[in-house]
Amino acid sequence: VQLQASGGGVVQNGDSLKLVCAGTGRTFDSYAMAWFRQAPEKEREYVAAITWSGSDRFYADSVKDRFTISRDNAKNRLYLEMNNLRPEDTAVYYCAATRGVLGPLGHLAPLRTTYNEWGQGTQVTVSS
């Protein structure tokens, strides 16, 4: 599967934004997927993940209760709805996919090595 992220932009502190990751190929629904982000001069960090069916979702503590990951397999789309954005959310956001598993409690979800397909990033900038 090939992935392309979009929807980034410049917003104010407290605003909302929705990112979209479009997948190509007829096997999109066989992939577990995730969002990661990378701020300048920082390591790429995990944001959220979702199983192939969408039945299970996992979040980093820093975005829990503010961000929602979802997917529409009929449209080959992965989403990240971001509410109450903060300046520290500023980063390039990447979508990623794996045909592997995320683990019973999602313990594999935060690991970059879990994913073997990555999209190009989309910039999100939150001004204070």
Side-chain angles (χ1 to χ4, degrees):
V1 67
Q2 291 185 314
L3 306 172
Q4 183 167 346
S6 63
V10 179
V11 297
Q12 300 286 327
N13 188 20
D15 282 353
S16 298
L17 203 59
K18 188 171 184 177
L19 304 183
V20 181
C21 177
T24 60
R26 294 187 293 177
T27 60
F28 182 85
D29 60 2
S30 67
Y31 287 81
M33 302 195 69
W35 288 97
F36 282 73
R37 65 187 182 186
Q38 188 166 16
E41 300 182 359
K42 290 191 176 181
E43 293 287 319
R44 190 171 297 189
E45 68 172 4
Y46 164 73
V47 175
I50 188 168
T51 51
W52 65 270
S53 66
S55 61
D56 294 297
R57 310 177 195 198
F58 310 99
Y59 296 93
D61 288 342
S62 59
V63 305
K64 202 172 293 184
D65 299 327
R66 298 189 299 124
F67 290 11
T68 301
I69 189 171
S70 62
R71 66 190 298 161
D72 185 338
N73 287 339
K75 296 181 178 179
N76 283 12
R77 295 288 189 273
L78 172 74
Y79 304 100
L80 184 68
E81 186 166 0
M82 305 183 292
N83 296 315
N84 192 19
L85 282 161
R86 306 165 180 168
E88 53 264 40
D89 295 317
T90 295
V92 178
Y93 283 71
Y94 298 89
C95 52
T98 178
R99 299 191 78 166
V101 296
L102 299 180
L105 298 177
H107 67 282
L108 298 177
L111 305 177
R112 283 178 287 173
T113 53
T114 294
Y115 307 92
N116 50 15
E117 303 288 349
W118 292 83
Q120 95 296 349
T122 185
Q123 175 72 48
V124 173
T125 302
V126 185
S127 59
S128 57

